[in-house]
Amino acid sequence: MAYEAKDYAKLLGMEGFSEALLKNHFTLYQGYVTNTNKVLDILDGMLKAGNTAAPEYAELKRRLGWEFNGMRLHEYYFENLGGKGGIDQTGKLAAKIAADFGSVEAWEKDFRATGAMRGIGWAVLYQDSASGKLMNFWINEHDVAHPAGCTPILIMDVFEHAFMLDYGLKRADYIEAFFKNIDWKAAETRLK
């Protein structure tokens, strides 16, 4: 069964994100979905033909992580956008953040600093499934540095395509717009 691109048109008109930026971003995401399906189809054909020892099979297996994670991370990102207002200070997520970081403000300072680092990638609030602890991570590439056994709770795309059309090199302004549009309820549903 092929993956299908989800429709995130409801985000159009969101404050701080131009229509052009969002439509470009949706097109990029659709490319990850398309390429995930292509790679899976080719790998399936190679497996059925007994071509698993071919270097092409190995390279496509490696490429699958890039395409699949590019698809899934964008889905998490779009799904945790579109909210209004701040985190529910009485909610389960705020309580967990405060317990693990000392305060919501301390967590936010660290998350913003993670997202503002030089380079391309993702800032991700993860929950360790073994300990339950929340941690902010920098993910440089889609398929590199994901902490094993952790669940993504809040995802912020900090590749240039996520902000340069609207903000140029002013990543901090993009991060501010991101925080104004977090759907905290969507993030909280990911918490275990």
Side-chain angles (χ1 to χ4, degrees):
M1 182 170 114
Y3 290 99
E4 292 185 25
K6 297 178 181 179
D7 182 3
Y8 295 107
K10 69 177 184 155
L11 297 176
L12 294 173
M14 184 172 54
E15 180 185 344
F17 292 76
S18 71
E19 185 172 321
L21 180 130
L22 286 171
K23 285 185 174 181
N24 284 344
H25 212 158
F26 299 157
T27 299
L28 180 73
Y29 156 68
Q30 290 167 353
Y32 286 116
V33 175
T34 298
N35 287 337
T36 295
N37 289 325
K38 283 181 184 177
V39 170
L40 287 170
D41 287 345
I42 295 168
L43 285 169
D44 184 55
M46 292 181 82
L47 179 64
K48 288 176 180 170
N51 291 335
T52 58
E56 295 84 2
Y57 184 83
E59 289 308 309
L60 284 171
K61 276 292 192 180
R62 290 181 180 102
R63 183 67 188 192
L64 179 58
W66 171 264
E67 300 296 347
F68 183 89
N69 285 354
M71 173 186 68
R72 193 55 42 110
L73 286 167
H74 279 98
E75 289 171 351
Y76 286 141
Y77 171 72
F78 294 137
E79 289 163 10
N80 64 216
L81 283 175
K84 301 277 186 226
I87 190 169
D88 176 4
Q89 295 293 334
T90 64
K92 182 171 77 167
L93 181 56
K96 184 65 176 149
I97 287 172
D100 289 350
F101 287 88
S103 69
V104 172
E105 295 75 20
W107 163 79
E108 184 176 326
K109 182 178 179 181
D110 184 64
F111 192 84
R112 285 177 182 261
T114 302
M117 294 180 350
R118 288 179 52 85
I120 56 169
W122 303 84
V124 182
L125 172 64
Y126 277 104
Q127 183 178 33
D128 179 4
S129 61
S131 70
K133 182 174 174 53
L134 296 176
M135 298 170 279
N136 292 325
F137 276 81
W138 173 265
I139 305 302
N140 197 54
E141 300 287 344
H142 305 328
D143 57 340
V144 178
H146 292 278
C150 293
T151 302
I153 304 298
L154 181 70
I155 315 317
M156 180 171 59
D157 190 342
V158 286
F159 275 81
E160 287 94 349
H161 64 258
F163 63 89
M164 286 196 76
L165 186 62
D166 289 352
Y167 296 99
L169 297 176
K170 297 177 183 173
R171 189 184 297 210
D173 292 349
Y174 159 71
I175 293 171
E176 186 64 32
F178 172 83
F179 265 86
K180 287 180 181 175
N181 290 285
I182 294 173
D183 182 345
W184 289 104
K185 288 179 181 149
E188 189 165 306
T189 63
R190 299 171 184 159
L191 190 65
K192 305 289 182 218

